[in-house]
Amino acid sequence: MAKLFDTTLRDGEQTPGVSLTPKEKLWIARKVDELGVDVIEAGSAITSKGEREGIRKIADEGLEAEICSYTRVLKSDVDAAHECGVESIHLVAPVSELHLKKKLKKNKSEILDSLDEVIPYAKDYGLNVELGAEDASRADQDFVEKIFNRGASLGADRVCYCDTVGVLNPEKTEQNISKLTENIDIPLSIHCHDDFGFAVSNSINALLSGAEQVHVTVNGLGERAGNASLEEVVISGKELYDIGFNANPELLYETSRLVSRLTGVSVSENKAIVGENAFTHESGIHAHGVLNDSATYEPISPDEVGRERKFTLGKHTGRASVKAILKEMGVEADDEQLKEIVSRVKEIGDKGKKVTTADLQTIVETVLKVKKEARAKLEELTVVSGNKVTPTASIKLDYKDQEEITQSGTGTGPVDASIKAVKKAISEIAEIQLEDYKVESITGGTEALVDVSVKLSRKGKIVSARGARTDIIMASVEAMLEGVNKLLMEEENNEGS
């Protein structure tokens, strides 16, 4: 069983713009503990008074996970960690020539000597010590091994190979970790950054090569490109490599959402496992396949990771996904109505816009009413408008599938001309008055679905009707015809009673 060392509250908090309060840190710690991580790196105690308060709250919470503080190879850092009541420290020593010369201005012997002093000091406090080799992937590998063996001889409980700037690749990971685990007698961890996009694959490869623990952050938070993503390591390890973790996958999504809310860092929609699109289908072919057998286009079931399958609507939408969504809405539509709903969804999608729930609701209500109550149907509409051109509309209606009515109208604009053309055409059937006209956008944007509401009257009877299209002219004509059909149908029913 591989172990998870969660550093969301330390390395993850170093994400630019992220700063957590002690209360927020405790909230996250409780959640990742419930998830089942083995170690929680709660922060770096030497950093500030607020940081120590947060670490102390977590250490005092009585969580199942081992609570750890990051420290440098300094007694003062160890003192601060001990005062917070943590069980372990992540004692990090730079090991690459670049870090030794440019950052610490020390040589290799001085680093080894500092371990001789600080590790026993920490052990005297009763602390577990994980010795981290910073920038190990760019260091002399023989020196990394020497550092780890010195740490083990001094009482360190485990060591950590840190790919500090994410330059490892899977092949080099396997080579370096395999050699180290053969020559070191205590457990080895891997700490990977994602600068080249290899953090998860390097982490998995390290576990396959003998590492016993992997450092992760929720949502892959961390400096620069972030750290190895907890959710991706857990699921890819479990599903693709049969690596077991003491973690409940069903809590991954809600943990991700909590961390996203508290840190203010949004999760990319197409992020693996926890992104909003991870189990969302639009394509008609894909949706149809998933509805028949989810394995056709889903490598894992969404409920395994606390998710639900979703269908989104757009230009790739097919009948199967629309039918599934209508079923969830409790709506029944015949084949003709379903065809019309799909057509209108695609009309919006072709304009580069996603169809929202509100859009679909309006489309469904409009189509079902129009189709069920249609006496007068639109066959053709032509509108001419422009600079120095009087707006003119020509319309052709099919009345009761028996009679064609053609009329035209002019107006102050294309909408006005279209409505007047409809009124003239309808006047051949019945005298109907337009009492009120309103228009609103269902969702934002210049290509949003437009909802037109009208009130029509005939012989003292007033009805309300609506039309919904991305085209305001079509929406207006649709609303007029829906109202007309309501009045005509009601008159027919009254005559028959």
Side-chain angles (χ1 to χ4, degrees):
M1 185 77 71
K3 293 189 175 182
L4 293 169
F5 181 110
D6 183 81
T7 182
T8 304
L9 299 177
R10 199 274 300 175
D11 220 339
E13 196 190 16
Q14 290 173 204
T15 301
V18 174
S19 181
L20 298 166
T21 66
K23 184 178 180 181
E24 289 169 336
K25 281 201 164 197
L26 179 59
W27 198 348
I28 292 173
R30 286 173 179 156
K31 197 65 190 176
V32 294
D33 183 66
E34 182 187 1
L35 176 67
V37 304
D38 300 279
V39 182
I40 297 173
E41 189 172 36
S44 177
I46 199 67
T47 301
S48 68
K49 181 180 178 181
E51 184 81 341
R52 287 189 288 278
E53 181 187 347
I55 295 171
R56 192 174 295 110
K57 281 180 179 292
I58 294 168
D60 291 344
E61 187 68 11
L63 302 178
E64 290 293 322
E66 175 185 302
I67 308 305
C68 176
S69 171
Y70 176 94
T71 70
R72 296 166 297 177
V73 189
L74 295 170
K75 286 184 177 180
S76 57
D77 282 33
V78 176
D79 289 337
H82 172 64
E83 289 168 10
C84 291
V86 298
E87 298 164 77
S88 66
I89 59 170
H90 181 203
L91 183 72
V92 178
V95 295
S96 68
E97 288 289 338
L98 179 63
H99 277 232
L100 290 173
K101 290 179 179 179
K102 299 295 184 180
K103 187 171 78 169
L104 289 188
K105 302 189 185 319
K106 291 184 177 181
N107 58 40
K108 293 177 179 179
S109 295
E110 288 175 300
I111 290 295
L112 289 167
D113 290 342
S114 66
L115 296 181
D116 292 344
E117 183 180 358
V118 176
I119 291 178
Y121 186 75
K123 295 302 293 182
D124 286 344
Y125 274 136
L127 293 167
N128 291 327
V129 176
E130 178 164 328
L131 173 60
E134 185 178 16
D135 206 24
S137 49
R138 293 193 296 181
D140 171 25
Q141 296 305 295
D142 289 336
F143 181 60
V144 174
E145 186 177 317
K146 189 173 184 179
I147 281 276
F148 286 165
N149 277 319
R150 177 69 70 91
S153 69
L154 294 167
D157 300 275
R158 54 186 183 258
V159 291
C160 181
Y161 189 96
C162 300
D163 183 24
T164 303
V165 292
V167 296
L168 276 179
N169 58 39
E171 295 78 19
K172 193 174 286 186
T173 300
E174 181 180 359
Q175 177 186 327
N176 294 351
I177 300 303
S178 295
K179 183 171 182 258
L180 286 169
T181 53
E182 285 176 8
N183 299 323
I184 299 168
D185 294 330
I186 58 177
L188 184 141
S189 300
I190 185 77
H191 178 106
C192 295
H193 281 261
D194 206 35
D195 296 78
F196 285 89
F198 283 131
V200 171
S201 56
N202 288 337
S203 297
I204 294 295
N205 245 25
L207 293 174
L208 295 174
S209 302
E212 297 182 32
Q213 180 174 267
V214 58
H215 286 211
V216 292
T217 59
V218 176
N219 298 334
L221 289 175
E223 292 182 280
R224 303 180 315 279
N227 291 47
S229 161
L230 182 153
E231 52 279 359
E232 293 175 27
V233 167
V234 168
I235 296 302
S236 62
K238 172 179 177 286
E239 296 291 333
L240 303 179
Y241 297 97
D242 200 27
I243 298 173
F245 297 98
N246 182 35
N248 181 358
E250 292 182 12
L251 297 179
L252 288 172
Y253 182 63
E254 60 184 78
T255 304
S256 166
R257 299 309 303 156
L258 173 67
V259 170
S260 178
R261 286 196 301 272
L262 295 182
T263 60
V265 179
S266 299
V267 174
S268 172
E269 289 188 355
N270 66 339
K271 188 183 187 302
I273 313 303
V274 294
E276 286 308 302
N277 289 347
F279 298 96
T280 300
H281 307 272
E282 178 185 326
S283 169
I285 296 172
H286 285 203
H288 183 70
V290 167
L291 288 167
N292 288 332
D293 185 338
S294 63
T296 52
Y297 290 103
E298 287 177 349
I300 58 172
S301 176
D303 55 18
E304 286 185 45
V305 291
R307 302 294 306 274
E308 291 182 358
R309 182 178 300 111
K310 294 181 182 178
F311 295 97
T312 187
L313 303 177
K315 69 178 181 179
H316 301 111
T317 295
R319 291 166 61 94
S321 50
V322 172
K323 195 171 184 178
I325 293 173
L326 293 184
K327 186 176 180 181
E328 289 179 5
M329 294 169 62
V331 173
E332 290 185 9
D334 60 31
D335 288 343
E336 186 182 358
Q337 291 165 342
L338 184 60
K339 181 180 178 181
E340 179 65 19
I341 293 169
V342 172
S343 174
R344 296 193 187 200
V345 166
K346 287 179 178 289
E347 178 187 336
I348 297 174
D350 280 337
K351 291 178 166 52
K353 192 173 182 294
K354 284 188 177 181
V355 180
T356 67
T357 303
D359 288 338
L360 182 62
Q361 185 72 35
T362 303
I363 289 171
V364 169
E365 290 174 1
T366 303
V367 169
L368 295 191
K369 288 178 182 176
V370 170
K371 293 294 180 183
K372 286 180 179 178
E373 302 172 8
R375 296 296 182 272
K377 300 176 184 178
L378 178 66
E379 289 294 319
E380 188 178 310
L381 175 68
T382 303
V383 181
V384 178
S385 182
N387 188 29
K388 296 183 180 180
V389 176
T390 301
T392 304
S394 299
I395 192 168
K396 182 188 289 185
L397 299 181
D398 183 0
Y399 180 55
K400 291 186 177 180
D401 295 325
Q402 298 171 355
E403 180 183 348
E404 270 191 4
I405 302 172
T406 303
Q407 278 292 350
S408 63
T410 60
T412 57
V415 173
D416 185 43
S418 299
I419 289 176
K420 285 180 178 176
V422 173
K423 288 173 66 178
K424 286 177 71 175
I426 295 303
S427 68
E428 297 187 21
I429 306 168
E431 285 299 324
I432 294 175
Q433 300 298 318
L434 174 63
E435 302 292 342
D436 190 29
Y437 173 92
K438 291 180 181 177
V439 61
E440 64 175 312
S441 173
I442 297 296
T443 49
T446 57
E447 295 176 338
L449 190 72
V450 174
D451 189 9
V452 173
S453 305
V454 298
K455 286 185 179 179
L456 303 180
S457 66
R458 171 171 166 75
K459 296 180 181 179
K461 176 66 177 177
I462 297 178
V463 297
S464 296
R466 65 197 296 195
R469 297 274 188 170
T470 55
D471 183 333
I472 189 172
I473 298 172
M474 285 300 299
S476 301
V477 171
E478 186 172 75
M480 288 289 293
L481 290 177
E482 183 193 335
V484 167
N485 282 313
K486 278 185 176 182
L487 289 169
L488 292 176
M489 181 177 160
E490 186 165 318
E491 187 171 296
E492 289 174 11
N493 290 339
N494 289 337
E495 288 174 356
S497 59

